[in-house]
Amino acid sequence: MDTTRPGVPRVRFAPSPTGYFHVGSARTALFNWLFARQTGGTFVLRIEDTDEERNREDWVAGILSAMTWLHMDPDEGPYRQSGRRDEHHAAVDSLWASGSLYACDCTREAVEARTAGNATPGYDGHCRTRGIERGPGRALRFAVPDEGTVVVHDIVRGDVEFPLASIEDFVVVKSSGQPLFLLANTVDDIAMGITHVIRGEDLLPSTPKGMLIWRALEGDGVALPAFAHLPMLVNEQRKKLSKRRDPVSVESYREQGFLPEAFLNYLALLGWSHPSGRELLAVDELVTAFRLEDVNHSPAFFDVQKLTHLNGEYVRAMDVDAFVDACRPWTSGPGAPWPAERFDEGTFRELAPLVQERVDTLGAVPDMVDFVFLAEPRMDEAAWASVAADPLAATVLDGALGAYATCSWDAGTLHQVTAALAEQVGRKLGKAQAPVRVAVTGRRVGPPLFESMAVLGRAATLQRLQAARDRLGAVAGSEELPGGAGPGVGEAGALPGGAGAGAAVDQA
Ligand code: GLU
Ligand code: ZN
């Protein structure tokens, strides 16, 4: 019977650097890390980089930087599997010497031709009794016993039985002489004293093979690690997350301005939940409450909307200084949409509390405040079209130009003055201020208008209102051409000039 390895837990995260660091890998890393933190165990990072054709150094760098970003620092490592080739070859020699392996010189075509009609797919054991020597051009296969079962005691899935008859004599060393992943993976787990193998369920089918290698190397009675195969991540259509269809790289979330604490919190909910049902969980709470036994085996929906919402909660909970700091890559970095010399962090800080209430990700911040740091607002043409179609827009803009020219410049006064203007034109404040907002910020939505104008300053505000008024005049003028004075022009023209409206507001 299997016994589980005793002692203080040692877990490992063993990614292969064959692509961008995937959210599923980050979840695997996190569950290992949480388990190590809560048991006082050791979290080992091992980069499985032996597949030279598929590895890239920048993907290794991506793994390391994502781990740092998420504060999942390893206690040991990063080890490089490629640095342990001698150990892998030594293990192959020992398996060969003990008769666990045999050499095979079958071509793929020959195997396929022989096994075409077979009920069980895979290699047919052809070379097992041929007794050929190992050597160049010959693969080494593991002689899997024909009878019996391997039982994986899985913490998440319970006992999973694999009849040995269903496992082919798998290749351990390629005909090129290179040991395969399964061999290196097992040899390293043995050497690193791994007690718990926590990884994605895509690796469950290869687990019995790893167990066979482990026992062949260490003896039948050896204590194997405990296994925990984590549920796969699926998208909204309940399909496995795919690199092509879904945004899966951790880096892309970082670039969009997700916070590491929020991202980590969300990853923890992919296959696990707090007994109380609470979802907003600080990392310390995760460490205390997480239980590997409570991980669910059914697929976990990677819900970007939920992640975004959770991130918004973290953004709102930040104190202003932390928020301003965290925004720097978007406000002061090369990707900021304004010239660096026009940005002023003090001004941004004034708006920051208003912005925090309105964004879910830091990447959404520049759109909220760019009107302050650009010489001209970036005009959203749909927003402008709504102003152009509004028969009272010219009146409102004229009124605002008049009133704002002389009133004192603070949010409270601007509010009062604009409310009076609204009353004058017979509109609710929200509707009346719409043309002003579009003129000043270029958008229909954004931080509160009066605070925004207070920060922007009188001169820039008036200049933008005038530019919008001029543009409106030009539109109205061109509409006039075909059919004489249109209703828009008539309404605007029928009212007293800007000065008159301004004076009326001033009296309010
Ligand atoms: N390096 C392999 C992978 O990333 C194996 C990982 C493991 O055993 O945890 O799929
Ligand atoms: Zn063969």
Side-chain angles (χ1 to χ4, degrees):
M1 266 282 82
D2 299 331
T3 48
T4 298
R5 306 190 97 189
V8 179
R10 288 179 58 85
V11 295
R12 87 295 194 276
F13 173 52
S16 302
T18 54
Y20 290 109
F21 191 57
H22 189 286
V23 291
S25 300
R27 191 273 314 260
T28 298
L30 175 63
F31 283 20
N32 275 283
W33 183 84
L34 286 174
F35 182 74
R37 288 290 81 86
Q38 83 170 188
T39 56
T42 303
F43 175 57
V44 177
L45 175 58
R46 182 173 79 227
I47 307 288
E48 302 214 317
D49 58 347
T50 44
D51 186 343
E52 278 160 14
E53 279 151 39
R54 298 177 61 218
N55 293 332
R56 268 174 35 188
E57 264 326 291
D58 52 332
W59 287 329
V60 176
I63 294 169
L64 300 179
S65 90
M67 302 276 294
T68 305
W69 180 59
L70 293 170
H71 304 297
M72 291 193 288
D73 294 322
D75 302 310
E76 277 182 30
Y79 296 115
R80 293 292 194 119
Q81 191 159 66
S82 58
R84 303 184 29 80
R85 287 208 171 90
D86 290 350
E87 284 85 345
H88 305 151
H89 286 292
V92 170
D93 290 345
S94 131
L95 289 170
W96 175 262
S98 66
S100 303
L101 307 182
Y102 63 87
C104 165
D105 60 1
C106 299
T107 60
R108 184 196 303 266
E109 295 72 24
V111 176
E112 277 167 12
R114 283 200 310 268
T115 60
N118 285 7
T120 46
Y123 185 71
D124 58 354
H126 178 77
C127 298
R128 198 198 282 206
T129 52
R130 285 176 62 214
I132 56 174
E133 265 312 305
R134 56 194 290 213
R138 290 178 180 169
L140 298 181
R141 291 183 178 273
F142 193 94
V144 179
D146 294 326
E147 275 165 34
T149 50
V150 175
V151 182
V152 180
H153 302 296
D154 193 285
I155 298 173
V156 175
R157 322 183 72 86
D159 284 0
V160 188
E161 279 191 32
F162 293 85
L164 288 171
S166 71
I167 302 174
E168 66 172 351
D169 287 352
F170 55 91
V171 174
V172 169
V173 179
K174 288 203 276 193
S175 56
S176 64
Q178 207 202 15
L180 278 182
F181 142 77
L182 204 55
L183 185 280
N185 183 265
T186 307
V187 168
D188 290 356
D189 280 349
I190 295 171
M192 294 176 187
I194 299 306
T195 60
H196 295 71
V197 171
I198 305 168
R199 60 186 177 187
E201 73 169 11
D202 52 321
L203 288 152
L204 180 60
S206 67
T207 301
K209 298 177 189 172
M211 289 168 69
L212 290 170
I213 295 175
W214 195 304
R215 287 190 187 125
L217 285 168
E218 297 287 284
D220 275 343
V222 70
L224 291 174
F227 291 95
H229 286 95
L230 308 176
M232 66 173 176
L233 304 188
V234 294
N235 64 17
E236 212 161 1
Q237 288 82 44
R238 300 265 130 196
K239 293 213 182 84
K240 192 169 181 243
L241 279 195
S242 115
K243 283 183 196 165
R244 271 171 296 118
R245 276 193 311 260
D246 308 297
V248 293
S249 90
V250 172
E251 191 59 28
S252 73
Y253 290 95
R254 183 180 180 174
E255 281 166 5
Q256 290 170 62
F258 285 86
L259 300 169
E261 298 77 15
F263 197 75
L264 202 84
N265 183 164
Y266 184 67
L267 288 176
L269 304 175
L270 296 171
W272 175 82
S273 54
H274 193 275
S276 71
R278 258 183 332 114
E279 298 199 314
L280 191 79
L281 298 159
V283 66
D284 293 345
E285 293 181 276
L286 293 173
V287 168
T288 317
F290 179 79
R291 290 287 174 278
L292 209 42
E293 307 82 81
D294 293 344
V295 172
N296 199 302
H297 66 263
S298 42
F301 172 28
F302 184 74
D303 184 347
V304 178
Q305 271 188 345
K306 190 167 164 181
L307 164 62
T308 306
H309 177 80
L310 191 68
N311 201 68
E313 298 205 33
Y314 275 81
V315 168
R316 280 178 268 300
M318 290 172 103
D319 73 54
V320 179
D321 288 326
F323 176 74
V324 171
D325 283 353
C327 284
R328 268 190 208 122
W330 289 269
T331 56
S332 310
W338 42 74
E341 68 279 6
R342 287 194 60 93
F343 180 72
D344 174 60
E345 200 166 271
T347 308
F348 176 60
R349 201 184 181 290
E350 283 181 56
L351 284 170
L354 306 172
V355 175
Q356 263 178 285
E357 292 303 315
R358 286 167 179 78
V359 297
D360 286 328
T361 59
L362 303 182
V365 168
D367 271 3
M368 286 274 158
V369 296
D370 60 356
F371 72 92
V372 184
F373 302 115
L374 288 169
E376 309 268 315
R378 275 198 293 183
M379 187 56 73
D380 166 7
E381 289 306 321
W384 176 256
S386 71
V387 173
D390 176 355
L392 286 181
T395 312
V396 169
L397 293 178
D398 285 337
L401 275 163
Y404 298 168
T406 51
C407 70
S408 70
W409 202 257
D410 59 86
T413 307
L414 287 166
H415 186 160
Q416 271 178 23
V417 161
T418 313
L421 175 60
E423 212 177 294
Q424 208 190 2
V425 298
R427 272 188 178 174
K428 289 224 166 75
L429 178 60
K431 183 144 195 245
Q433 76 186 35
V436 175
R437 177 187 288 285
V438 173
V440 173
T441 70
R443 311 275 156 77
R444 258 182 298 202
V445 289
L449 178 61
F450 308 119
E451 280 84 350
S452 298
M453 291 193 296
V455 169
L456 183 64
R458 191 196 308 269
T461 302
L462 291 178
Q463 184 235 316
R464 290 173 186 199
L465 289 169
Q466 190 60 56
R469 181 62 187 87
D470 294 347
R471 189 175 170 191
L472 206 54
V475 171
S478 69
E479 274 175 0
E480 208 177 357
L481 281 174
V489 178
E491 267 194 79
L495 273 135
V505 170
D506 279 346
Q507 285 154 22

